[in-house]
Amino acid sequence: DTTQYRVKPTVIELGFGMGGNIPAGDLKNRFGPNLNLSTHLHYISPKDFVMGGGLMFIFGDNVKEDVLAPFRTTTGVILGDDNQIADVFLRQRGLYLSADVGKLFPVSKKSRSGIMVMASGGILQHNIRFTDERNSVAQIRAGRSVGYDRLTRGFGLRQSIGYKHMSRDKRVNFEVLFDFIQGFTSEIRAVNFDTGLATISSRTDLLFGFRMKWNLPFYFGGKDDIIYY
């Protein structure tokens, strides 16, 4: 009798994704839900182990912590240098830079589609970004916004689980993932100008979210080979 083994090709994969997150922990006091764009470069071994790195860009317009409150009038507006109402908007910005490892569990021996489990470690950063349409607010002009931007950075972990599809004709390749991110961070600035107080040295920032990723795989080793012993 002969036993046959399917030798899978090595895959180098470039991926692009988008999704959304809900903050928890300390982060929920500063920001509301956000969106994200991501990219990754992963190596998938013939035994379906996954490793590589990625970058997630986080953005949103739901900022709960009003760092410009001291400059608002009793009606809630901010006056510019010309005593006209300023068009100032607070935005959420952030990123997660990661090194990733994981495992793909195909649904069958003839398929490479299946459940994927990933873990990563890296750097989580977030801050408040200001948009002053008329550049009329002196407190955040010419670099002064660093005293109000709550720039925060630290070590981050992420666990992901989801479904990964790799079509046999190599044309349709995507992932649907659930993410859980934990950031052990601290505020980078020495003092927050709006409060006059020292910044927070220890935070736990959490994010729960879903992502959809479209992948471009490059196969090495040709088609699957059958080896007989």
Side-chain angles (χ1 to χ4, degrees):
D1 294 335
T2 60
T3 303
Q4 65 180 34
Y5 297 89
R6 182 169 296 276
V7 179
K8 299 177 181 178
T10 296
V11 179
I12 301 295
E13 179 182 80
L14 178 63
F16 303 92
M18 66 179 300
N21 298 308
I22 296 176
D26 293 325
L27 196 62
K28 70 179 180 180
N29 298 322
R30 179 167 297 170
F31 299 125
N34 58 67
L35 300 174
N36 66 71
L37 298 173
S38 63
T39 184
H40 73 257
L41 183 65
H42 284 164
Y43 164 85
I44 306 175
S45 76
K47 294 187 176 181
D48 294 320
F49 289 98
V50 184
M51 62 189 70
L55 176 65
M56 175 188 289
F57 175 63
I58 301 167
F59 59 97
D61 59 6
N62 190 331
V63 179
K64 298 180 180 180
E65 192 170 346
D66 188 4
V67 297
L68 299 182
F71 311 110
R72 297 188 185 276
T73 67
T74 55
T75 59
V77 301
I78 297 175
L79 298 179
D81 299 338
D82 53 4
N83 286 323
Q84 300 297 313
I85 296 176
D87 295 321
V88 179
F89 304 96
L90 279 63
R91 304 289 190 231
Q92 175 185 176
R93 294 293 184 267
L95 59 85
Y96 177 61
L97 178 65
S98 66
D100 311 321
V101 294
K103 183 71 168 66
L104 176 62
F105 298 92
V107 295
S108 71
K109 293 182 178 180
K110 295 183 179 181
S111 171
R112 245 177 161 177
S113 299
I115 301 300
M116 189 169 74
V117 178
M118 297 287 293
S120 72
I123 301 296
L124 176 67
Q125 175 179 298
H126 55 82
N127 64 281
I128 299 172
R129 182 178 183 271
F130 303 94
T131 301
D132 182 1
E133 299 291 352
R134 296 191 293 110
N135 195 31
S136 63
V137 181
Q139 289 83 358
I140 59 174
R141 188 170 56 234
R144 297 171 187 165
S145 63
V146 297
Y148 306 92
D149 67 2
R150 298 298 197 269
L151 178 62
T152 302
R153 185 184 302 131
F155 179 67
L157 296 171
R158 180 177 64 197
Q159 299 84 43
S160 304
I161 185 170
Y163 175 75
K164 181 178 182 65
H165 183 81
M166 299 178 70
S167 65
R168 293 183 64 82
D169 62 8
K170 306 176 184 179
R171 295 181 179 179
V172 181
N173 304 278
F174 64 88
E175 299 169 31
V176 180
L177 294 171
F178 171 76
D179 294 321
F180 177 34
I181 299 175
Q182 310 94 52
F184 307 97
T185 62
S186 60
E187 294 182 358
I188 302 303
R189 313 303 185 192
V191 176
N192 290 323
F193 290 177
D194 55 305
T195 64
L197 302 176
T199 55
I200 300 172
S201 60
S202 180
R203 295 171 52 92
T204 301
D205 296 321
L206 306 177
L207 289 163
F208 298 88
F210 284 94
R211 278 186 297 156
M212 176 75 179
K213 298 200 292 185
W214 189 263
N215 301 318
L216 180 62
F218 300 90
Y219 292 83
F220 298 89
K223 297 181 179 180
D224 292 355
D225 297 322
I226 305 298
I227 300 177
Y228 294 89
Y229 291 92

